[in-house]
Amino acid sequence: MWMCSICGYEYDGEDFLSVEDDYVCPLCESKNSYRDRDMNSEIEMAVREFKNNE
Ligand SMILES: [Zn+2]
């Protein structure tokens, strides 16, 4: 899932990589702020952090 790292807007169109160069976030109007978020690895990282804090 592609998500704006500034405002959190989720891209919901076709293949993001094909529009990446021209894409401007419709909410915050920033460019090149989108990150490909992988929920599984983010959960894994959060769990690891949680265990480190114990
Ligand atoms: Zn944005």
Side-chain angles (χ1 to χ4, degrees), residues 4-9 25-30 33-34:
C4 179
S5 61
I6 294 175
C7 70
Y9 183 85
C25 181
L27 273 192
C28 65
E29 297 182 341
S30 66
S33 59
Y34 277 67

Side-chain angles (χ1 to χ4, degrees), residues 4-26:
C4 179
S5 61
I6 294 175
C7 70
Y9 183 85
E10 287 174 27
Y11 178 77
D12 62 355
E14 297 289 302
D15 184 15
F16 183 77
L17 292 177
S18 64
V19 298
E20 186 177 16
D21 288 342
D22 305 312
Y23 195 73
V24 176
C25 181

Side-chain angles (χ1 to χ4, degrees), residues 1 3 35-50:
M1 174 213 298
M3 187 183 261
R35 301 284 175 267
D36 188 11
R37 297 190 59 175
D38 177 350
M39 283 306 168
N40 286 333
S41 62
E42 284 196 16
I43 289 170
E44 213 170 273
M45 267 171 56
V47 167
R48 209 172 301 154
E49 215 166 277
F50 178 75

